[in-house]
Amino acid sequence: MRGDDPRLLVPQSAFNQAFLPHLQARERVQIYFGGAGSGKSAFLASRVALDALCGRNTLVARKVAHTLKSSCFAEVSKAIRRLGLGGFFKANASDLTVTCPRNGAQILFTGLQDVEKVKSLSPARGALTDIWVEEATEASQKDIKQLEKRLRGPSPHPKRLTLSFNPVSRQHWLYRAYFPGVPEGQAVFRGNGLLVMHSSYRDNRFLTDDDIRALEGEKDPYFREVYTLGRWGQAGGAILTNWRVAPILPGEVREPLRLGLDFGYARDPSAAIKVSFDAGRKRVLVLDEMYARGWHNARLAEKLRDFSEGSPVTCDSAEPRSIAELRRLGILALPARKGPGSLNHGLQWLSQHEIIVAPHCVNLQEELANYRWRQGPGGEMLPTPEGEDHLIDALRYALEGDNRSRAAKGMSRFVP
């Protein structure tokens, strides 16, 4: 395995054998998933370093920027030292860049809280050829789509998007986006520009005996399935499990449509939803979503005009000023009727209905997949939801008129 310097030779013994065939894999999308301690991150960090020696520019990303220095940047730095390549690179820990002075190739690091800022990142020389997203389950589908757009420009190297993660839930958008057609239990899958590799601690010969004992001693069924064996799992405590993603045909839509809005601005998004409700079939059809940060009320009203098509919009009643302003701007904004127990009542009512989500409503899919009951110190489920819930709240508001008159029955069976 050589870089562009013919005197450089890296021994195969520096790698786990399971990963070795993928050092020069050319597939456009590459997925490395599996359990904790499988060696996937160490392998990809080593590949990134060797790629830079060959002139490839890589952007390494994680959802939260402040974790980069202690995770991805540290992993790549360790890989460079482990492979004896310290003399070939200059690392800058303050701006999180690693440069190969011999050819100008760079390894850049970024967080994804504001994926728009990623557009301004560019290597000093040549095009960006590779993007590696570590802990990709933290990222949204929109994040990944924005990143893919950065893989452009002339280069002698094929472009690659690489995702690595522990398979936390079959309901995650990553499973729905990339794994239909990928056989269960197959270590490596290749087809249509996609490479998928599964790994577990058994593939990592560099683990200590203590590491192996800790992984094999995991008693929690979910954590054993996901983090020890590296298999797709379903975490306990999921609140809404009665939903699926499917195209919605015009003949299925019932009028009038219901709309809900959860206010936001900077940290939290403004989130609106449009649904059809079929009471006879106990079915909620999610037709569309609106999800954005940084919109003042005038901009929000402008967008809602087209989104609502003149229908009433039930809004978070905690924002009476915003509701009044939307009304002045021509939106039929109504306050939701909150009260004691309204959150659990709304969730319990939703749990009794089939929820079908249109495929393009990716933000709601992500919220539903990760919305669960908070876990107590002893592992018990507490009656407090956790996870992003902006669109879920909007969904409750939209259907408030349908569920408000119905007493929530069996609440003790729904709330843990």
Side-chain angles (χ1 to χ4, degrees):
M1 289 164 286
R2 299 175 183 269
D4 59 0
D5 186 333
R7 295 169 296 175
L8 175 64
L9 179 66
V10 178
Q12 291 190 6
S13 60
F15 296 88
N16 283 305
Q17 291 301 306
F19 293 96
L20 201 54
H22 309 306
L23 265 177
Q24 299 181 55
R26 298 170 66 88
E27 282 84 357
R28 173 79 177 194
V29 177
Q30 301 187 22
I31 294 176
Y32 296 86
F33 80 107
S38 70
K40 54 188 178 296
S41 297
F43 162 71
L44 291 170
S46 299
R47 190 175 79 167
V48 162
L50 292 174
D51 284 344
L53 291 175
C54 298
R56 302 183 73 106
N57 292 305
T58 300
L59 177 65
V60 183
R62 277 194 71 168
K63 183 65 177 181
V64 182
H66 70 76
T67 63
L68 283 166
K69 191 170 184 179
S70 61
S71 59
C72 300
F73 185 81
E75 196 72 62
V76 170
S77 299
K78 283 193 296 183
I80 289 171
R81 292 193 299 270
R82 185 172 61 248
L83 298 174
L85 303 177
F88 292 87
F89 292 98
K90 287 186 177 179
N92 188 326
S94 60
D95 64 1
L96 295 181
T97 60
V98 177
T99 304
C100 179
R102 296 191 173 207
N103 57 20
Q106 288 188 306
I107 306 168
L108 310 174
F109 299 80
T110 188
L112 298 177
Q113 295 102 317
D114 186 355
V115 75
E116 290 293 322
K117 290 183 178 178
V118 176
K119 294 178 181 178
S120 63
L121 286 173
S122 182
R125 182 183 301 176
L128 192 65
T129 62
D130 287 81
I131 294 174
W132 168 27
V133 184
E134 171 70 317
E135 303 293 355
T137 48
E138 299 172 347
S140 69
Q141 193 165 12
K142 184 179 178 182
D143 292 336
I144 302 303
K145 285 184 176 180
Q146 288 284 0
L147 287 174
E148 283 187 284
K149 294 176 183 178
R150 299 286 292 115
L151 291 172
R152 61 181 186 272
S155 172
H157 307 284
K159 306 294 187 359
R160 300 180 303 191
L161 170 69
T162 299
L163 310 176
S164 58
F165 55 87
N166 302 118
V168 293
S169 170
R170 291 176 185 272
Q171 293 180 328
H172 198 280
W173 73 264
L174 282 166
Y175 184 83
R176 297 191 297 272
Y178 295 111
F179 284 79
V182 176
E184 292 277 349
Q186 187 167 312
V188 178
F189 171 84
R190 278 188 151 108
N192 299 320
L194 173 68
L195 164 63
V196 178
M197 179 191 172
H198 172 267
S199 58
S200 73
Y201 73 98
R202 298 186 182 104
D203 297 300
N204 188 357
R205 64 186 180 84
F206 299 109
L207 289 179
T208 66
D209 290 341
D210 283 344
D211 295 332
I212 294 171
R213 277 194 294 270
L215 286 163
E216 291 183 340
E218 178 59 61
K219 297 296 190 293
D220 183 280
Y222 169 74
F223 284 97
R224 179 172 177 78
E225 193 76 0
V226 173
Y227 295 103
T228 299
L229 303 176
R231 297 171 181 163
W232 287 99
Q234 172 61 59
I239 295 175
L240 295 170
T241 59
N242 54 321
W243 65 278
R244 60 187 174 91
V245 179
I248 296 172
L249 302 176
E252 298 177 305
V253 177
R254 299 286 182 270
E255 301 282 353
L257 300 182
R258 281 78 162 161
L259 290 100
L261 171 67
D262 188 47
F263 289 104
Y265 184 71
R267 180 181 175 276
D268 294 328
S270 299
I273 206 157
K274 184 189 299 184
V275 303
S276 167
F277 178 58
D278 186 337
R281 302 178 69 178
K282 300 194 72 172
R283 177 182 286 182
V284 175
L285 304 179
V286 180
L287 308 176
D288 203 1
E289 66 176 32
M290 194 172 73
Y291 191 90
R293 289 178 173 84
W295 285 1
H296 48 71
N297 285 338
R299 178 79 186 280
L300 180 59
E302 178 187 342
K303 296 295 183 181
L304 279 172
R305 232 169 257 122
D306 291 334
F307 187 80
S308 67
E309 300 178 300
S311 296
V313 182
T314 305
C315 309
D316 182 0
S317 57
E319 296 274 355
R321 285 189 184 179
S322 294
I323 293 173
E325 187 170 358
L326 289 181
R327 292 181 69 86
R328 286 195 299 271
L329 293 168
I331 304 300
L332 294 176
L334 306 171
R337 297 185 181 181
K338 292 184 178 180
S342 61
L343 170 60
N344 282 342
H345 170 90
L347 294 175
Q348 188 267 350
W349 185 86
L350 282 172
S351 74
Q352 297 173 356
H353 294 74
E354 181 184 21
I355 303 172
I356 300 176
V357 184
H360 69 276
C361 297
V362 296
N363 293 293
L364 178 62
Q365 293 170 37
E366 186 173 359
E367 286 190 9
L368 288 168
N370 294 286
Y371 196 52
R372 58 193 67 257
W373 298 114
R374 188 180 300 277
Q375 196 171 46
E380 72 280 10
M381 295 300 165
L382 305 176
T384 307
E386 65 177 359
E388 299 290 323
D389 59 0
H390 314 292
L391 285 163
I392 292 174
D393 282 347
L395 180 62
R396 290 193 298 108
Y397 303 150
L399 293 163
E400 180 189 66
D402 300 291
N403 72 56
R404 190 171 59 237
S405 62
R406 296 166 173 81
K409 297 177 181 178
M411 184 68 71
S412 62
R413 294 194 299 273
F414 179 67
V415 179

